[in-house]
Amino acid sequence: MEHPLSISLLWPSDIAKEKVEGTAGLEHQSYKDLGVERLVEEISFNYKYSEGIKQLLLQLCADRETIMYRLDIMEDFCSLPEMGAELESVLPLLHKLDEFHHARYMIDAEQLRKIAWQLEILSIYTEFVSTLNGILNRYREKIKSEGLHRLLQFTGQLIEDETFRSLTAELPDLRAKLQGVSSVTLRIHLNHELKPEQAVILSLDSKTEKKRSLLSRLLGMKSEADEYGGVSQYQSIVKQNSLALDSALLNSLEQVFSDSLLPIGAVLKRFIDVNTRPVTSLELEIGFYIGASRFIHKIMDAGLPMCKPEVVPAAERVCRVEDMFDPVLAIGLIRQYPDIQLSNTIVTNDVEFGPKGTIYILTGPNQGGKTTYTRAIGLLQVLLQAGIYVPGRKAAISPADRIFTHFSEEEKPNLDHGRLGEESKRLQSIFMSATPQSLILLNESFSSTSHLDSYFLARDVVKGIKMLGCRTVYATHILELAAEADRMNEEEPGEGRLVSMVAGVDLEQTGEQDSMMAKRTYKVQQGPPNDRSFAKDIASLYGISFGQIVQTLKDRKVIK
């Protein structure tokens, strides 16, 4: 049998895989800032796939051909959930096959034991190939993706191969020869001290010795059913040191099977090495598509849109999404309220990075959705590049070579350079690595210093990003930065274009005279920054406005 072609549901070719392997991928800090671990948990329907799926998302594949190849396969899994359920049934076979390959204890095993082990591997292999081919054949007319059609063709070629046919036909007899040996009759020669000196196998039997009844042993009676009964009670050797006996017995059995089984050992090993390894990687790949398609259906069943995005060439640096939302927020709510309809709960937003704008300066009130919006853009990029549907009704996105994040953190006592110093180091490291095809997400950077200092620092960073030209979201309270967007577009060099974006509010009259309460709409739209301060609304929400504090103290009778 010729060496089979490699088969993968993640990579359209070995060249595509080599192109992506070794690239930097998603940094640990960005993985943490975006909450990607929540996606990994949700997609990994079995914990044993968690690490593999994590690495897949961390890899941040930027190859357009590979992403489209995966998305086509994902579409088949989403449209054929019953096929996914059937494919899930073959995953235990693949897992067992992979475990056999990594069974280190068989390396120094006796030849006969190795052959028994190899026959078990091949039995699992032939069962898997035949079952997988049968499942794919049942859905042949409905499958659209190149990847699944390749897999169908691959398994079909294996099944039609003469060696595979012969193996399928002969395996039952070969296994029966070994598995049929349930007991061995030995003759042991003893010396005058009753110590065993020699032993010889008299016969191999398919039946085991049966314990004779107490009455039979006492009276010396032997029924027809006691044909294989012994003349003494059973003595267990499992709890004793039986290695010498085990080894001697296997050596003797090897002599018995020397003509019928041992000669095929080398042939079996070569066949296993060549033919079974290419399919073991399919366990993680199939598990990934099953888990991801269920994740997609879970969100759609809750009333939010998920779509197969158009993959735009990376050089175009676009991201156009209708009705985008944060999938981590959605999954959290579904877990908490399984019957929730998220269309009535989560506000969706549009995104349009392109010639008209590549750098969003996002302002708005606290708790107005700025962080959620920023994080959602990063997550949809991660999902796209893993080959998963993205949150939205319609999307066209260019792959990013890297995703860089800086989400402001509270002061930490172990920071060597203080919070501002650490923020500055992080941003400097971004400029050391980012390219025009990167995605940069900044959330309240430079919020640890004075307003004036943060404005000057942020303005220089934005000017640098404008020269770089990559897609960026900068969520900030620095209103002056957003207000200067048009002027910076005209005066500062670089092909990047700034856009002022605002997280909206609706102003509502309160009971107090001339007092307005801001209701967060969580809608992010293009527009000038709102110069009204909303800190008073946050204070009122938590009961710490001056009037509320006075009333609390009066209620406690601390003051009059």
Side-chain angles (χ1 to χ4, degrees):
M1 185 177 191
E2 296 181 0
H3 194 298
L5 298 173
S6 60
I7 184 69
S8 174
L9 296 179
L10 292 177
W11 307 102
S13 66
D14 290 338
I15 295 175
K17 184 177 182 180
E18 291 167 4
K19 192 188 302 183
V20 174
E21 286 184 336
T23 55
L26 190 68
E27 295 179 337
H28 174 74
Q29 186 60 50
S30 299
Y31 179 86
K32 179 182 175 183
D33 287 342
L34 297 176
V36 179
E37 71 275 4
R38 303 282 183 85
L39 296 180
V40 173
E41 291 172 5
E42 191 62 33
I43 295 170
S44 305
F45 69 94
N46 190 311
Y47 74 92
K48 63 186 175 184
Y49 304 131
S50 297
E51 185 57 31
I53 290 173
K54 175 183 176 181
Q55 294 306 317
L56 184 61
L57 269 60
L58 281 172
Q59 194 170 52
L60 203 65
C61 172
D63 182 66
R64 183 168 177 253
E65 179 191 7
T66 300
I67 297 170
M68 292 191 296
Y69 178 79
R70 294 177 183 177
L71 284 169
D72 287 344
I73 297 173
M74 190 65 69
E75 184 176 26
D76 278 338
F77 273 84
C78 287
S79 61
L80 300 170
E82 62 277 11
M83 179 189 70
E86 289 189 48
L87 288 174
E88 185 180 358
S89 69
V90 304
L91 294 182
L93 292 175
L94 275 174
H95 186 67
K96 194 171 183 180
L97 196 61
D98 188 56
E99 282 187 330
F100 270 119
H101 273 304
H102 295 89
R104 305 290 302 175
Y105 63 86
M106 292 303 300
I107 292 177
D108 299 321
E110 294 80 0
Q111 181 66 11
L112 190 62
R113 198 186 299 277
K114 284 184 178 179
I115 291 175
W117 173 62
Q118 290 164 347
L119 291 175
E120 181 67 19
I121 290 178
L122 291 176
S123 177
I124 296 170
Y125 169 72
T126 54
E127 182 183 357
F128 164 72
V129 171
S130 299
T131 305
L132 179 59
N133 181 261
I135 293 171
L136 295 176
N137 257 314
R138 283 195 289 278
Y139 295 94
R140 175 193 291 269
E141 300 302 322
K142 298 179 180 180
I143 290 172
K144 298 178 182 178
S145 66
E146 177 189 356
L148 287 180
H149 275 294
R150 278 188 189 180
L151 185 58
L152 175 59
Q153 182 181 14
F154 175 80
T155 55
Q157 289 174 344
L158 290 178
I159 289 174
E160 292 301 319
D161 184 84
E162 183 180 348
T163 306
F164 187 92
R165 287 170 173 259
S166 175
L167 191 65
T168 305
E170 295 177 15
L171 263 176
D173 289 338
L174 292 173
R175 295 184 71 199
K177 285 184 178 181
L178 287 177
Q179 294 178 347
V181 180
S182 298
S183 65
V184 177
T185 303
L186 300 176
R187 174 174 289 166
I188 299 176
H189 293 275
L190 309 176
N191 64 14
H192 64 280
E193 295 179 348
L194 298 183
K195 292 182 178 180
E197 289 185 332
Q198 293 179 319
V200 63
I201 295 177
L202 296 181
S203 66
L204 306 178
D205 300 303
S206 59
K207 297 181 180 180
T208 57
E209 300 288 334
K210 297 180 179 178
K211 294 184 180 181
R212 296 170 66 189
S213 66
L214 176 62
L215 184 62
S216 296
R217 293 202 306 270
L218 289 175
L219 301 179
M221 298 170 59
K222 185 176 180 181
S223 68
E224 200 171 309
D226 291 329
E227 178 183 355
Y228 292 92
V231 296
S232 67
Q233 294 186 13
Y234 277 83
Q235 300 295 324
S236 175
I237 62 171
V238 175
K239 297 180 181 179
Q240 302 173 18
N241 184 2
S242 59
L243 291 178
L245 175 60
D246 186 56
S247 179
L249 182 59
L250 281 169
N251 288 334
S252 297
L253 286 172
E254 285 181 8
Q255 295 176 20
V256 174
F257 289 112
S258 60
D259 293 331
S260 58
L261 283 179
L262 295 187
I264 69 171
V267 177
L268 292 178
K269 184 179 184 304
R270 283 197 300 272
F271 185 93
I272 289 170
D273 290 341
V274 170
N275 294 278
T276 62
R277 291 190 185 278
V279 303
T280 54
S281 61
L282 288 172
E283 182 190 3
L284 173 62
E285 297 182 358
I286 293 173
F288 162 70
Y289 284 105
I290 292 172
S293 60
R294 290 177 181 173
F295 157 74
I296 293 165
H297 277 295
K298 180 179 288 188
I299 291 181
M300 293 177 70
D301 290 344
L304 287 177
M306 296 286 286
C307 70
K308 179 185 177 183
E310 176 190 351
V311 187
V312 183
E316 296 187 25
R317 290 173 281 176
V318 303
C319 178
R320 297 188 298 270
V321 186
E322 294 179 11
D323 291 333
M324 179 201 71
F325 58 90
D326 181 350
V328 168
L329 174 62
I331 286 299
L333 289 172
I334 292 171
R335 287 183 178 181
Q336 191 172 2
Y337 309 103
D339 298 325
I340 193 171
Q341 273 299 302
L342 293 177
S343 57
N344 303 321
T345 306
I346 290 182
V347 176
T348 63
N349 283 290
D350 295 343
V351 182
E352 187 169 1
F353 285 114
K356 294 182 179 180
T358 56
I359 304 169
Y360 284 3
I361 308 300
L362 176 58
T363 58
N366 285 326
Q367 299 181 357
K370 298 191 302 295
T371 299
T372 300
Y373 181 88
T374 304
R375 183 175 63 189
I377 289 177
L379 289 172
L380 71 85
Q381 196 75 43
V382 171
L383 289 171
L384 163 83
Q385 296 185 216
I388 303 173
Y389 284 17
V390 300
R393 199 167 306 282
K394 184 179 180 182
I397 310 170
S398 298
D401 58 2
R402 300 284 298 276
I403 297 177
F404 298 97
T405 62
H406 180 261
F407 282 41
S408 182
E409 296 183 90
E410 294 298 324
E411 189 77 51
K412 295 180 180 178
N414 62 337
L415 295 182
D416 296 331
H417 305 284
R419 184 172 163 192
L420 178 59
E422 290 296 327
E423 285 184 322
S424 301
K425 283 177 60 180
R426 171 62 179 156
L427 289 164
Q428 193 268 346
S429 71
I430 290 175
F431 282 106
M432 289 290 291
S433 303
T435 75
Q437 295 178 6
S438 299
L439 173 65
I440 298 178
L441 304 172
L442 307 177
N443 185 40
E444 301 296 355
S445 298
F446 302 121
S447 59
S448 60
T449 187
S450 70
H451 183 78
L452 185 61
D453 286 345
S454 64
Y455 163 65
F456 284 112
L457 290 168
R459 188 176 63 175
D460 281 350
V461 167
V462 170
K463 286 163 62 177
I465 293 174
K466 186 178 187 302
M467 293 189 69
L468 184 61
C470 67
R471 288 165 283 173
T472 302
V473 179
Y474 189 171
T476 179
H477 279 90
I478 307 172
L479 303 182
E480 297 89 340
L481 193 64
E484 289 188 344
D486 290 339
R487 185 188 64 79
M488 291 178 70
N489 284 331
E490 294 176 1
E491 299 178 3
E492 301 298 336
E495 61 182 31
R497 186 169 182 81
L498 279 66
V499 177
S500 173
M501 304 292 289
V502 184
V505 295
D506 288 334
L507 298 178
E508 298 178 347
Q509 183 74 44
T510 66
E512 301 178 19
Q513 185 177 3
D514 298 327
S515 178
M516 303 289 287
M517 175 66 73
K519 178 183 178 183
R520 276 78 175 152
T521 66
Y522 305 107
K523 272 291 183 184
V524 175
Q525 295 175 320
Q526 184 174 344
N530 192 326
D531 58 2
R532 182 180 187 275
S533 172
F534 298 101
K536 185 176 180 181
D537 304 323
I538 297 292
S540 298
L541 179 65
Y542 289 99
I544 57 170
S545 67
F546 179 69
Q548 289 169 316
I549 291 173
V550 170
Q551 186 60 49
T552 298
L553 294 176
K554 286 182 177 180
D555 292 343
R556 293 178 55 215
K557 298 181 180 180
V558 176
I559 62 174
K560 294 183 180 179

